[in-house]
């Protein structure tokens, strides 16, 4: 693996790191089209598509959030002092991250659990009471 692959590379999102994909060989490189990846749904959803990076997720992806005691002056440009690792995921809508294609109309255990988390920050009992 290339240098830097042990810790990965910054993704621009706290808690997500990019790692080189060892399966991204010359054949995969020849088929890779970053423009189509963002604009062509059939290309993006192709199960045979080999992407150049793998994404690693750390605890901070869910648990780091804006500090309630030191909010940023500009929410679009927080400083590290404006970020807190213990506030939880009050701004993370997990259903939008993990159930991307769900429309919310059909019941499924994972989708309902993730919607529940939106209400109180926890994946708790699946009784639809959102306690």
């Amino acid at each position: 693996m290339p240098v830097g692959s042990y810790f990965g590379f910054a993704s621009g999102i706290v808690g997500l790191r990019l790692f080189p994909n060892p399966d991204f060989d010359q054949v995969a490189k020849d088929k890779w089209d970053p423009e189509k990846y963002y604009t062509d749904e059939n290309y993006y959803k192709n199960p045979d598509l080999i992407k150049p990076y793998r994404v690693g997720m750390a605890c901070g992806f869910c648990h780091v959030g804006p500090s309630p005691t030191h909010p940023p002056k500009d929410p679009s440009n927080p400083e590290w002092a404006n970020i807190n690792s213990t506030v939880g995921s009050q701004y993370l809508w997990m259903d939008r991250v993990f159930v991307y294609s769900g429309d919310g109309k059909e019941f499924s255990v994972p989708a309902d659990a993730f919607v529940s988390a939106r209400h109180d920050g926890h994946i708790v009992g699946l009784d639809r009471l959102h306690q």
Side-chain angles (χ1 to χ4, degrees):
M1 298 208 96
V3 174
S5 63
Y6 183 76
F7 293 107
F9 303 95
S11 68
I13 300 171
V14 174
L16 296 182
R17 301 289 289 175
L18 298 176
F19 296 87
N21 184 348
D23 297 331
F24 194 69
D25 57 14
Q26 190 58 49
V27 174
K29 287 178 186 175
D30 293 341
K31 293 180 181 178
W32 177 248
D33 184 339
E35 173 122 359
K36 284 177 74 174
Y37 181 75
Y38 288 102
T39 60
D40 183 345
E41 185 175 356
N42 291 327
Y43 181 81
Y44 173 80
K45 289 185 174 181
N46 179 352
D48 297 322
L49 177 65
I50 298 173
K51 300 170 187 122
Y53 297 103
R54 292 183 177 174
V55 179
M57 183 183 301
C59 307
F61 181 70
C62 296
H63 293 280
V64 170
S67 171
T69 57
H70 297 96
K73 290 178 181 149
D74 177 1
S76 297
N77 295 293
E79 302 286 330
W80 284 111
N82 307 125
I83 307 236
N84 188 297
S85 62
T86 58
V87 294
S89 59
Q90 76 270 29
Y91 298 108
L92 176 64
W93 290 23
M94 295 189 345
D95 55 321
R96 291 187 180 177
V97 174
F98 297 110
V99 190
Y100 173 76
S101 61
D103 60 9
K105 295 177 183 170
E106 287 186 36
F107 174 78
S108 75
V109 172
D112 196 56
F114 292 134
V115 170
S116 294
R118 213 191 292 173
H119 298 280
D120 64 5
H122 298 92
I123 298 178
V124 293
L126 300 175
D127 56 8
R128 293 189 171 254
L129 295 177
H130 310 295
Q131 301 174 2

